[in-house]
């Protein structure tokens, strides 16, 4: 066996890795080392052919393996001899490509069973086609089973079958990119491990958390329901969404097959030009300022400009942020900062939700979000690999729990009138009922018009969303403009209870009364007269 001094691996161009390999070949029964430098988006491949399975498993877990992968974009794969020869006998393209004689950087002259590849593309072509057709044949069998279950209405079985089909796709993605499948691991872990090699896979699965996914969680629930003979999971609307995710994996496999075919056929590596789609660059200076300001305060994944209107001399921009951990207070501060930086000449309406929250609530709000989350409205994205949402198809719009939003609004209006109409002119607490009514009205009105229930935003943001929901509501702007004081700051101030005497006079109360009357009439017409709730339901 060669000594430490004589061994050299100049092709690596990596002194740290060279030193490790010198130690390995002196301490373990290393048979061969293959290295292929890949100058494209793919990882360079370092395959270490070793005699014992126990050594291969132990060495694969070393910290330096992860280090060189992350730092140097070199994927290290330890494979023991019997397994390597078995995979080669199965005509696996990964082995055929990355264990070519041209990739050999070390061979133990004393080893009795090195891998030697002598075939060229013309001879290997038939074997490659057999390997590829095996995937297509078995995939079709899986796919047929899924669609048979869909036609039979077996909800839980559909999702568990889809889980098996996606696991089958991951088997091939792992074999074609990593040379080894990890079928014993949960789907979440397998998807996460593939991201480093195949960033596009992030586009097809919405995260529940840092390392978990919405669809894989659904598969687990369906499996548990089937085992425990529980009620079926009624998520028929997600069949198409799961199908889209699965088809996307299928397409990635097709692309990898085509890529490997070209590489094997050419016998060399050509640099791949990676096109990175860039969101439409908006030249509006105000929007540039808005994005810059938002990103200093919020770790946004994406920002959508979904609406803008001009009223008088003021432009209002409607922005939706997909981000984690941005509550109402932060949005209020951010809105004020944007107004300040633009000289008070522009208004901004900000809404923000996490990707997982949007996905989880699509059953109720999909029509609202599907209108906004479109490429033409995207003005910022932190990555090109954010997942598409698993849209429910068909999606049936309905006003779930409208009663629980409309009923409190009418009750608050009633309490307001009880105090406002007192002959003793005792208006204690009226300003708080007025503020609460306005908040309740806006949220209910927006929900009726758009199927979206906003958070407890500032009063002005809620009113601007009402105008977005239906511009006709702007006809009541004159009441806001004629209010005896600044309307929206007044409301926001009284969203929080304060222990003090009321100083309202009758004229001020009358203005409030007119606003509540007109807005309640508007809401009553929408909800009751248009038949969204039956008359007896709101009593």
């Amino acid at each position: 066996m060669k000594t430490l001094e004589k061994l050299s691996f100049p092709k690596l161009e990596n002194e740290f890795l060279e030193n490790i390999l010198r130690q390995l070949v002196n301490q373990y029964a290393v048979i061969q080392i293959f290295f292929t430098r890949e100058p494209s988006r793919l990882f360079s491949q370092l395959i270490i052919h070793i005699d014992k399975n126990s050594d291969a498993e132990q060495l694969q877990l070393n910290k330096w393996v992860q280090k060189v992968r992350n730092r140097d974009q070199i994927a290290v794969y330890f494979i023991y001899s019997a397994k390597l020869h078995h995979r080669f006998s199965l005509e696996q393209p990964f082995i055929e490509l990355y264990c070519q004689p041209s990739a050999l950087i070390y061979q133990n002259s004393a080893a009795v069973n090195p891998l030697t590849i002598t075939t060229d593309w013309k001879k290997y072509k038939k074997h490659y086609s057999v390997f590829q057709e095996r995937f297509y044949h078995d995939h079709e069998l899986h796919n047929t089973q899924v669609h048979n279950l869909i036609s039979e209405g077996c909800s839980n079985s559909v999702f568990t079958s889809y889980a098996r089909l996606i696991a089958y796709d991951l088997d091939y993605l792992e074999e074609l990119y990593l040379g080894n499948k990890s079928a014993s691991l949960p789907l979440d872990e397998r998807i996460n491990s593939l991201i480093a090699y195949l960033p596009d896979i992030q586009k097809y699965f919405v995260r529940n958390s840092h390392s978990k996914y919405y669809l894989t969680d659904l598969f687990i629930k369906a499996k548990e329901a089937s085992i425990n003979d529980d009620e079926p999971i009624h998520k028929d609307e997600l069949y198409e969404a799961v199908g889209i995710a699965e088809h996307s994996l299928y397409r990635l496999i097709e692309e990898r097959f085509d890529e490997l075919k070209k590489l094997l056929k050419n016998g060399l590596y050509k640099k791949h030009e990676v096109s990175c789609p860039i969101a439409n660059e908006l030249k509006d200076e105000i929007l540039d300022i808005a994005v810059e300001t938002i990103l200093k305060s919020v770790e946004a994944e994406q920002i959508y400009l979904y609406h803008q209107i001009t009223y008088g001399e003021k432009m209002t921009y409607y922005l939706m942020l997909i981000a984690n951990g941005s509550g109402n207070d932060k949005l209020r501060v951010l809105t004020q900062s944007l107004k300040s930086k633009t000289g008070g000449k522009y208004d901004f309406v900000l809404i923000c939700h996490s990707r997982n929250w949007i996905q989880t609530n699509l059953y109720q709000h999909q029509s609202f979000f599907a209108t906004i989350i479109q490429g033409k409205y995207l003005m910022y994205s932190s990555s090109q690999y954010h997942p598409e949402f698993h849209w429910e198809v068909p999606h049936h719009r309905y006003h779930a729990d409208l009663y629980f939003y409309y009923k409190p609004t009418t009750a608050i209006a009633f309490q307001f009138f009880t105090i406002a109409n007192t002959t003793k002119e005792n208006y204690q607490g009226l300003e708080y009922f007025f503020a609460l009514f306005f908040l309740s009205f806006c949220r209910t009105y927006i929900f009726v018009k758009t199927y979206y229930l906003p958070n407890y935003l500032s009063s002005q943001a809620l009113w601007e969303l009402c105008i977005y929901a239906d511009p006709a509501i702007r006809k009541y702007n004159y009441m806001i403009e004629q209010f005896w004081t600044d309307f929206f700051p007044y409301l926001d101030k009284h969203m929080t209870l304060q222990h003090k005497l009321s100083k309202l006079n009758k004229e001020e109360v009358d203005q409030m009364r007119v606003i509540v009357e007109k807005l309640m009439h508007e809401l009553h017409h929408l909800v009751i007269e248009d038949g969204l709730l039956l008359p007896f339901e709101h009593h």
Side-chain angles (χ1 to χ4, degrees):
M1 191 171 290
K2 297 183 180 180
T3 63
L4 282 171
E5 290 75 18
K6 292 182 179 179
L7 277 179
S8 178
F9 306 99
K11 191 175 179 181
L12 287 175
E13 299 177 357
N14 188 314
E15 185 177 352
F16 171 76
L17 197 49
E18 283 192 51
N19 290 333
I20 290 175
L21 293 185
R22 289 192 191 98
Q23 294 175 19
L24 285 177
V25 298
N26 280 272
Q27 294 175 12
Y28 297 90
V30 176
I31 298 172
Q32 291 169 301
I33 301 176
F34 300 91
F35 178 70
T36 304
R37 181 170 298 283
E38 174 55 74
S40 74
R41 60 183 171 82
L42 298 177
F43 281 72
S44 297
Q45 296 288 342
L46 181 66
I47 298 174
I48 302 176
H49 178 194
I50 200 164
D51 186 49
K52 296 180 181 179
N53 182 34
S54 57
D55 289 342
E57 291 180 349
Q58 175 191 343
L59 290 167
Q60 193 69 53
L61 299 175
N62 282 347
K63 291 182 179 179
W64 66 264
V65 173
Q66 186 81 4
K67 182 176 181 179
V68 296
R69 194 193 77 169
N70 296 339
R71 188 187 68 181
D72 304 317
Q73 291 291 102
I74 298 175
V76 181
Y77 177 29
F78 287 91
I79 182 168
Y80 71 100
S81 191
K83 186 175 184 179
L84 178 63
H85 283 280
H86 175 66
R87 291 194 174 279
F88 176 64
S89 70
L90 295 176
E91 316 292 349
Q92 191 192 62
F94 183 92
I95 300 299
E96 185 75 25
L97 180 63
Y98 293 114
C99 294
Q100 289 285 333
S102 59
L104 188 67
I105 62 172
Y106 167 79
Q107 181 162 311
N108 185 345
S109 58
V112 296
N113 196 23
L115 178 68
T116 304
I117 298 177
T118 59
T119 54
D120 57 19
W121 168 248
K122 289 182 180 180
K123 293 180 181 179
Y124 178 69
K125 181 178 179 180
K126 182 178 179 181
H127 300 298
Y128 180 82
S129 297
V130 170
F131 185 90
Q132 190 174 19
E133 286 305 318
R134 189 185 306 135
F135 163 75
Y136 290 128
H137 176 267
D138 291 351
H139 183 277
E140 183 59 30
L141 292 178
H142 280 290
N143 206 30
T144 300
Q145 182 186 29
V146 169
H147 287 285
N148 286 340
L149 290 170
I150 290 175
S151 64
E152 294 169 7
C154 304
S155 181
N156 290 342
S157 296
V158 170
F159 291 121
T160 54
S161 293
Y162 258 130
R164 286 192 292 270
L165 179 52
I166 286 178
Y168 176 77
D169 291 337
L170 294 177
D171 284 349
Y172 270 82
L173 282 174
E174 288 171 340
E175 285 202 44
L176 297 175
Y177 277 96
L178 285 69
N180 184 36
K181 61 184 178 183
S182 50
S184 62
L185 296 178
L187 294 181
D188 293 310
E189 291 186 34
R190 299 179 71 182
I191 293 168
N192 287 330
S193 66
L194 275 167
I195 289 173
Y197 304 88
L198 190 60
D200 278 8
I201 203 171
Q202 298 172 92
K203 298 177 180 178
Y204 312 127
F205 296 94
V206 173
R207 291 184 185 272
N208 264 353
S209 62
H210 177 69
S211 58
K212 301 290 184 181
Y213 296 93
Y214 180 82
L215 286 186
T216 56
D217 184 52
L218 181 66
F219 295 154
I220 293 171
K221 291 177 181 176
K223 183 177 181 180
E224 291 174 348
S226 296
I227 294 173
N228 300 325
D229 200 25
D230 294 339
E231 288 293 320
I233 296 176
H234 294 291
K235 287 283 186 180
D236 296 3
E237 300 84 355
L238 281 177
Y239 288 166
E240 184 170 337
V242 181
I244 290 171
E246 190 283 321
H247 182 73
S248 298
L249 295 183
Y250 178 85
R251 183 178 51 78
L252 291 177
I253 295 168
E254 285 188 308
E255 291 175 357
R256 180 59 169 164
F257 270 128
D258 290 342
E259 185 175 44
L260 288 173
K261 182 177 180 180
K262 291 176 183 176
L263 293 172
L264 286 163
K265 185 176 181 179
N266 294 335
L268 49 85
Y269 289 88
K270 294 183 178 179
K271 186 173 182 179
H272 301 280
E273 295 296 332
V274 183
S275 59
C276 299
I278 300 174
N280 292 330
E281 295 183 8
L282 300 172
K283 297 181 180 179
D284 193 317
E285 182 181 351
I286 300 302
L287 292 175
D288 290 341
I289 294 173
V291 171
E292 183 181 352
T293 304
I294 290 169
L295 295 180
K296 286 181 179 178
S297 178
V298 177
E299 291 186 14
E301 292 181 12
Q302 291 175 318
I303 302 174
Y304 290 86
L305 171 67
Y306 63 95
H307 190 57
Q308 60 187 67
I309 57 173
T310 302
Y311 182 64
E313 297 181 354
K314 183 165 286 190
M315 171 77 79
T316 300
Y317 295 102
Y318 290 75
L319 302 173
M320 190 185 86
L321 285 58
I322 298 181
N324 293 313
S326 296
N328 299 328
D329 290 338
K330 180 173 282 190
L331 290 182
R332 289 190 184 97
V333 171
L334 191 51
T335 301
Q336 290 303 316
S337 177
L338 288 171
K339 288 182 179 181
S340 175
K341 289 193 174 184
T342 56
K345 298 179 180 179
Y346 302 89
D347 277 329
F348 298 86
V349 181
L350 304 181
I351 59 175
C352 180
H353 297 285
S354 70
R355 190 173 298 274
N356 182 51
W357 187 94
I358 295 172
Q359 176 67 64
T360 304
N361 291 277
L362 285 182
Y363 72 95
Q364 186 173 12
H365 307 314
Q366 177 164 306
S367 56
F368 175 79
F369 287 115
T371 302
I372 292 174
I373 301 173
Q374 299 185 38
K376 62 183 177 181
Y377 299 135
L378 182 64
M379 58 183 299
Y380 169 80
S381 184
S382 64
S383 168
Q384 68 187 78
Y385 300 114
H386 290 306
E388 298 285 341
F389 286 96
H390 306 304
W391 302 110
E392 294 186 355
V393 180
H395 176 73
H396 303 288
R397 303 191 301 177
Y398 66 105
H399 290 100
D401 296 333
L402 176 58
Y403 170 84
F404 296 103
Y405 308 135
Y406 178 75
K407 180 68 174 177
T409 307
T410 58
I412 294 161
F414 178 80
Q415 289 176 296
F416 173 88
F417 288 131
T418 299
I419 298 174
N421 294 333
T422 178
T423 56
K424 297 181 180 180
E425 298 188 12
N426 177 9
Y427 303 129
Q428 190 66 31
L430 190 65
E431 51 269 77
Y432 302 104
F433 283 115
F434 182 64
L436 183 56
F437 165 78
F438 189 83
L439 178 147
S440 301
F441 164 81
C442 288
R443 296 180 80 237
T444 308
Y445 183 86
I446 293 163
F447 180 66
V448 170
K449 287 288 186 177
T450 68
Y451 298 89
Y452 169 65
L453 190 71
N455 291 331
Y456 296 93
L457 304 172
S458 69
S459 56
Q460 183 171 356
L462 288 170
W463 183 247
E464 297 287 1
L465 282 173
C466 287
I467 294 173
Y468 165 75
D470 186 351
I473 198 74
R474 186 185 278 148
K475 64 188 176 185
Y476 298 117
N477 262 8
Y478 75 93
M479 296 188 300
I480 293 172
E481 293 167 353
Q482 294 174 5
F483 203 67
W484 80 85
T485 187
D486 289 338
F487 184 76
F488 297 117
Y490 179 82
L491 289 174
D492 291 339
K493 176 183 177 182
H494 291 101
M495 288 295 181
T496 304
L497 186 64
Q498 298 179 19
H499 188 186
K500 65 177 185 179
L501 288 172
S502 173
K503 297 181 180 179
L504 293 171
N505 59 45
K506 188 174 185 305
E507 290 74 20
E508 293 167 346
V509 171
D510 287 342
Q511 280 190 309
M512 288 181 175
R513 183 190 295 108
V514 172
I515 290 173
V516 175
E517 287 174 349
K518 289 187 177 296
L519 294 183
M520 268 311 303
H521 174 77
E522 190 78 23
L523 195 58
H524 177 84
H525 177 80
L526 273 178
V527 176
I528 304 303
E529 294 185 18
D530 284 359
L532 295 179
L533 289 177
L534 297 176
F536 67 83
E537 288 184 290
H538 74 282
H539 289 308

